[in-house]
Amino acid sequence: MKLISITLCNFRQFYGKSPEIKLACGDRNTTVIHGNNGSGKTALMNAFTWVLYEKFSAAFAAEEQLVNKRALAEAEMGKGVGCWAEVVFEHDSTRYQARRICRAYKSENTVEHGKSELFLNIAKDDGRWLKPEQHPDDIIGRILPESLHQYFFFDGERIEQIVRYDKKAEIAEATKELLGVEVLNRSIRHLGEAKKSLETDLNIIGNAETKKILEAKQKLEQEVEQLSRRQVEIDRELANQGELKKAVNGSLLELSGVGDLQKLRDELEMQQDLFKQQIVRATDALKRAISLRGYGVFLLEAAADFQVIVEDLREDGSLLSGIQRPFLSELLARERCICGSELIEGSEAHENVSGWMDRAGVGDVEETTIRISDRVKEIDKQVADFWEEIDSQQSNLNRSRTELSRVENQLDDIHSKLRNFPDGDVSRLQKRLDEIEAKVGDLHRETGSNQQQIESLNAQVSGFDKQIDKQQMNEEKQVLVQRRIAATQDAIDRLIEVRSRLEKQFCSQLEQRVQDIFSQISFTPYIPKLSDKYELTLVEKTSGKEALVAASTGENQILSLSFIGGIIDGVREWSQKNTLMGPDSSTFPIVMDSPFGSLDEIYRKQIANKLPKLANQLIVLVTKTQWRGEVAQEMEGCTGREYVLVYNSPKPECEEDAIELGGSRYPLVKQSPNEFEYTEIVEVDYGF
């Protein structure tokens, strides 16, 4: 998707129809929009997502109040006031015009806002704009799916939310959609439906025993489906409980006298999560070590026995080295020994040398024995290394468990103090938190039970599948249906394996890209790590081992930008190599509000240098302070267009402000000529 322009009309701060904002692309791919806080930068960024997806960012307040206040004030009673935004974009050599419209109706005491409606036109070669046959949402969804819009249109000051723990499932699903994995998912679903249909046919024509097995299998599958539906409800309830907990914690922080306790508890809970993650990693490392090298422990006794057997064979002369058959054959042919004695056939000397021929035949065995002995000797070293690794991981595990126990004891003390706090509101809120924690614990336990039941039921289903495979088919139709079922299952298994390998390969490459981008921006020695669930963390290496880092807000912002850049770069490359991906995913825009908010000078400079390279097209909305010195200097060479949002303030004797761009002075804030506040859009003229 390449963004061409955006035009607004009576949208929030923008009164009337605005000038068309033409967006830069190509070598100078960056469009910079300057404006003070409150001038409409966030509104402009949200205009893109409102038109395309009817979505807004978290910073966009009063989502239902889109119509400009001045336009409403000037409207007649009962007459509708139109508000719209229009985005023109290109994709796959086709130009699209998307316009979303909504209306507000003013009555004597209230304003009623109507629903929005999206209109989409496609440009033809002859210059005409025509309405497409497909629904506009479907067309836009194929070009840049709604689930992915947050990675390309976002608030820079809140970008660190992308790496939050509770976002990992959303990130995973959205990234898979970029990869084209949805094509495989649909294929697997359709094949599964086909298999069920075939099994129904088999149930009709099959023998009594096959029917019985199929009925039992279908009952188990129904139980699995019920448990899966329940698990969806549990996940939803866990999310609700998490929001409740956040709200109660926020209420506690507002009460006097418990702020320090609450902050200490937040720090301890963060430590608790870190220690739990360390325990999981140490446990996984132990499992891997035992799985890959644990067998060596059981070979020590056999290795010792082998060495004893070899030494015994050498002592009694059964194993020889250095005497080979070709050497002896040459001596007998010359009829002379190396000592000078004649080897006349029939003589005692000849018989002695001939006797060595049979014994020299074990030379190959000796060589093989030497090679095996070398490998057997390595077992001792491998076992020593294995125990060293086990001791190290066990030490990590014990240390983490000890620290976790300490933190949990401190948390228990804090909970006890809050439960018995003199202030009744504090005590009541803490008891509410206890109830939430108990509910969350019950839900997690039910989740574990459900997972065990699902695994057990799936194992039984697999067993029934094997029994069905073994049933002898007496009729040709039964044989044919059974073959089709087997072929369908084989196709499903292969597609699942392809999907798994695709995801693992992309995840691995994405992690490397994120690490490369992060290292180019951040001066810290931290390393981003990406789990198979697209969970982003920062680690540092100390004494050759990795330890989790509690990242700052600035580091999380850089980490999130690195993640977005890694996704764009990775998917752009994959779209050129993989035919699985449906839409052309090689061109991406980024529209970013306040990208430098909480960053220091060094990071601001690095981000400003890197941002234009992350995407094919960049639109940044910045304040004057965010555009100061180092940012303007770094982005000057890639800036193709600039605009200024001029805020007209109705406040008497307002403090005016301006910015100098291209040698000219442009107002940022000026006195409104009437009693209304509104924003004008002015393009910076460089005289090109």
Side-chain angles (χ1 to χ4, degrees):
M1 173 185 280
K2 180 172 73 174
L3 299 173
I4 304 299
S5 67
I6 184 170
T7 309
L8 309 175
C9 181
N10 289 334
F11 184 82
R12 292 298 276 256
Q13 292 98 320
F14 302 93
Y15 172 73
K17 181 181 177 182
S18 74
E20 182 182 30
I21 300 178
K22 296 181 179 180
L23 305 170
C25 58
D27 294 335
R28 289 178 170 265
N29 68 338
T30 301
T31 302
V32 182
I33 300 174
H34 305 271
N36 279 12
N37 292 330
S39 64
K41 297 193 307 302
T42 300
L44 182 54
M45 190 272 285
N46 278 272
F48 285 98
T49 57
W50 179 64
V51 172
L52 299 174
Y53 308 104
E54 202 173 9
K55 296 287 184 182
F56 301 101
S57 67
F60 192 74
E63 298 175 1
E64 72 285 352
Q65 299 177 12
L66 298 178
V67 182
N68 180 265
K69 294 178 181 178
R70 177 182 175 184
L72 276 172
E74 295 175 349
E76 299 177 8
M77 289 291 179
K79 188 174 181 180
V81 180
C83 159
W84 55 265
E86 179 182 279
V87 176
V88 178
F89 61 93
E90 282 186 2
H91 179 74
D92 199 16
S93 301
T94 301
R95 181 162 292 200
Y96 299 84
Q97 179 192 63
R99 176 182 289 195
R100 190 176 292 275
I101 301 174
C102 71
R103 292 184 178 275
Y105 300 86
K106 183 175 68 173
S107 61
E108 190 170 341
N109 298 317
T110 61
V111 175
E112 182 180 347
H113 295 83
K115 292 184 178 179
S116 72
E117 188 174 2
L118 174 63
F119 298 90
L120 185 71
N121 290 319
I122 298 178
K124 295 300 180 180
D125 293 337
D126 58 5
R128 292 180 301 151
W129 289 91
L130 298 179
K131 181 180 178 181
E133 296 180 0
Q134 296 169 296
H135 194 278
D137 290 335
D138 294 337
I139 295 175
I140 293 172
R142 285 197 305 272
I143 294 173
L144 188 61
E146 179 182 328
S147 59
L148 308 175
H149 83 275
Q150 61 182 321
Y151 302 122
F152 306 103
F153 305 88
F154 52 85
D155 182 351
E157 293 180 341
R158 291 174 170 82
I159 189 177
E160 74 276 1
Q161 295 181 8
I162 288 177
V163 298
R164 279 169 38 193
Y165 180 81
D166 58 354
K167 292 284 186 181
K168 66 179 187 302
E170 184 180 328
I171 290 172
E173 292 308 312
T175 307
K176 290 174 185 177
E177 193 165 352
L178 268 179
L179 285 180
V181 172
E182 184 57 30
V183 176
L184 295 174
N185 288 336
R186 284 198 297 268
S187 301
I188 292 168
R189 285 197 300 270
H190 293 163
L191 285 171
E193 293 168 2
K195 183 185 175 187
K196 288 182 180 179
S197 177
L198 289 170
E199 288 175 342
T200 300
D201 294 342
L202 183 61
N203 193 18
I204 295 172
I205 66 175
N207 55 38
E209 189 173 359
T210 302
K211 291 179 180 179
K212 184 178 178 181
I213 295 173
L214 282 170
E215 288 173 358
K217 177 190 171 187
Q218 288 170 357
K219 288 181 180 179
L220 293 176
E221 289 176 335
Q222 290 173 359
E223 291 184 46
V224 170
E225 189 174 350
Q226 290 175 357
L227 288 169
S228 298
R229 285 199 297 267
R230 171 57 184 157
Q231 194 53 48
V232 172
E233 295 173 359
I234 290 174
D235 292 340
R236 191 179 298 117
E237 181 60 23
L238 281 171
N240 291 337
Q241 294 295 326
E243 292 299 322
L244 282 175
K245 181 178 178 182
K246 188 185 298 182
V248 174
N249 277 327
S251 299
L252 269 174
L253 275 174
E254 294 174 359
L255 296 176
S256 61
V258 295
D260 292 340
L261 279 177
Q262 183 66 10
K263 290 179 181 177
L264 178 58
R265 178 165 66 179
D266 290 344
E267 292 176 3
L268 290 172
E269 286 180 345
M270 184 181 298
Q271 293 179 28
Q272 185 183 43
D273 290 339
L274 288 175
F275 289 134
K276 285 181 178 179
Q277 293 175 28
Q278 290 174 3
I279 288 172
V280 170
R281 286 201 302 275
T283 302
D284 290 343
L286 276 173
K287 291 178 181 178
R288 285 196 302 272
I290 293 172
S291 174
L292 297 175
R293 295 186 289 163
Y295 67 88
V297 175
F298 302 98
L299 294 178
L300 287 176
E301 186 175 348
D305 292 342
F306 173 81
Q307 295 290 9
V308 171
I309 292 171
V310 170
E311 290 301 323
D312 290 343
L313 289 173
R314 283 200 176 99
E315 288 180 4
D316 65 15
S318 298
L319 287 177
L320 302 173
S321 59
I323 300 179
Q324 302 293 327
R325 280 177 175 270
F327 173 70
L328 296 173
S329 297
E330 184 181 353
L331 293 179
L332 293 173
R334 291 190 311 179
E335 295 185 344
R336 186 171 295 279
C337 182
I338 57 174
C339 66
S341 302
E342 292 185 348
L343 301 177
I344 305 300
E345 187 174 356
S347 66
E348 182 179 358
H350 186 280
E351 290 179 0
N352 288 337
V353 174
S354 297
W356 280 94
M357 288 287 287
D358 294 333
R359 300 173 67 186
V362 299
D364 293 338
V365 177
E366 170 71 9
E367 290 182 5
T368 303
T369 303
I370 291 172
R371 288 196 297 271
I372 295 175
S373 296
D374 291 338
R375 295 183 182 180
V376 168
K377 291 175 183 177
E378 286 292 320
I379 292 176
D380 291 337
K381 183 178 182 303
Q382 292 174 3
V383 170
D385 293 341
F386 167 75
W387 284 120
E388 183 179 351
E389 172 69 11
I390 292 297
D391 290 342
S392 174
Q393 294 300 337
Q394 194 66 51
S395 175
N396 292 339
L397 195 58
N398 292 336
R399 184 167 54 255
S400 297
R401 284 173 174 166
T402 300
E403 290 298 318
L404 178 61
S405 177
R406 175 185 61 78
V407 170
E408 288 176 341
N409 287 336
Q410 289 181 269
L411 283 171
D412 288 341
D413 290 341
I414 292 175
H415 292 163
S416 177
K417 290 177 182 178
L418 291 172
R419 277 192 293 269
N420 299 302
F421 206 80
D423 189 331
D425 289 337
V426 174
S427 177
R428 175 179 57 79
L429 288 173
Q430 180 56 44
K431 289 177 181 178
R432 179 61 177 139
L433 276 179
D434 292 342
E435 293 172 0
I436 292 172
E437 291 290 353
K439 178 67 174 177
V440 169
D442 291 341
L443 291 172
H444 281 308
R445 283 188 288 273
E446 186 177 353
T447 295
S449 175
N450 288 345
Q451 289 174 345
Q452 290 181 354
Q453 292 183 64
I454 289 173
E455 290 176 3
S456 175
L457 291 169
N458 283 333
Q460 294 179 56
V461 168
S462 178
F464 282 134
D465 282 335
K466 293 178 181 178
Q467 291 183 45
I468 294 172
D469 290 340
K470 293 178 181 178
Q471 291 298 315
Q472 294 182 350
M473 301 298 177
N474 297 320
E475 300 178 16
E476 290 185 5
K477 288 185 177 179
Q478 290 175 318
V479 174
L480 179 60
V481 172
Q482 188 64 24
R483 286 177 179 171
R484 287 174 175 172
I485 291 174
T488 304
Q489 185 58 52
D490 181 64
I492 291 173
D493 293 341
R494 290 174 184 270
L495 286 174
I496 291 174
E497 179 65 21
V498 169
R499 181 180 63 188
S500 175
R501 293 187 182 188
L502 182 70
E503 292 173 359
K504 288 180 181 177
Q505 185 179 1
F506 182 80
C507 189
S508 174
Q509 293 182 5
L510 176 59
E511 181 183 62
Q512 184 59 52
R513 285 185 170 92
V514 173
Q515 290 174 353
D516 291 343
I517 296 172
F518 186 86
S519 65
Q520 292 173 32
I521 298 175
S522 176
F523 55 76
T524 66
Y526 305 148
I527 303 171
K529 303 293 288 186
L530 186 67
S531 73
D532 56 356
K533 296 181 179 179
Y534 292 83
E535 196 174 332
L536 268 173
T537 54
L538 276 181
V539 301
E540 62 176 334
K541 287 189 176 182
T542 55
S543 302
K545 298 178 181 179
E546 293 182 351
L548 277 176
V549 175
S552 66
T553 299
E555 287 163 345
N556 274 334
Q557 287 184 342
I558 296 169
L559 188 59
S560 298
L561 273 175
S562 302
F563 179 75
I564 290 172
I567 285 181
I568 292 174
D569 189 35
V571 175
R572 184 188 297 129
E573 179 180 331
W574 276 58
S575 68
Q576 298 167 357
K577 296 181 179 179
N578 294 277
T579 57
L580 280 176
M581 303 177 69
D584 175 17
S585 303
S586 59
T587 303
F588 294 102
I590 285 182
V591 181
M592 191 174 183
D593 182 17
S594 302
F596 311 103
S598 60
L599 299 174
D600 57 30
E601 181 178 341
I602 295 177
Y603 279 160
R604 284 159 52 85
K605 181 177 180 180
Q606 297 285 14
I607 293 284
N609 176 269
K610 195 66 181 175
L611 266 178
K613 303 172 185 175
L614 292 181
N616 304 86
Q617 189 178 26
L618 176 67
I619 297 98
V620 291
L621 300 104
V622 293
T623 63
K624 184 167 66 173
T625 55
Q626 291 170 348
W627 186 248
R628 64 173 180 249
E630 66 277 358
V631 175
Q633 183 179 355
E634 289 295 327
M635 300 187 75
E636 180 181 5
C638 57
T639 300
R641 289 184 180 271
E642 284 187 83
Y643 294 85
V644 177
L645 303 182
V646 183
Y647 176 71
N648 289 263
S649 172
K651 181 180 177 181
E653 299 180 359
C654 74
E655 183 177 350
E656 296 189 346
D657 193 10
I659 186 172
E660 186 169 326
L661 299 167
S664 300
R665 186 177 176 83
Y666 293 85
L668 289 169
V669 178
K670 67 179 184 179
Q671 185 74 49
S672 175
N674 49 54
E675 72 273 20
F676 299 105
E677 65 168 346
Y678 61 96
T679 296
E680 300 172 280
I681 300 173
V682 177
E683 183 173 4
V684 176
D685 184 8
Y686 283 95
F688 294 154

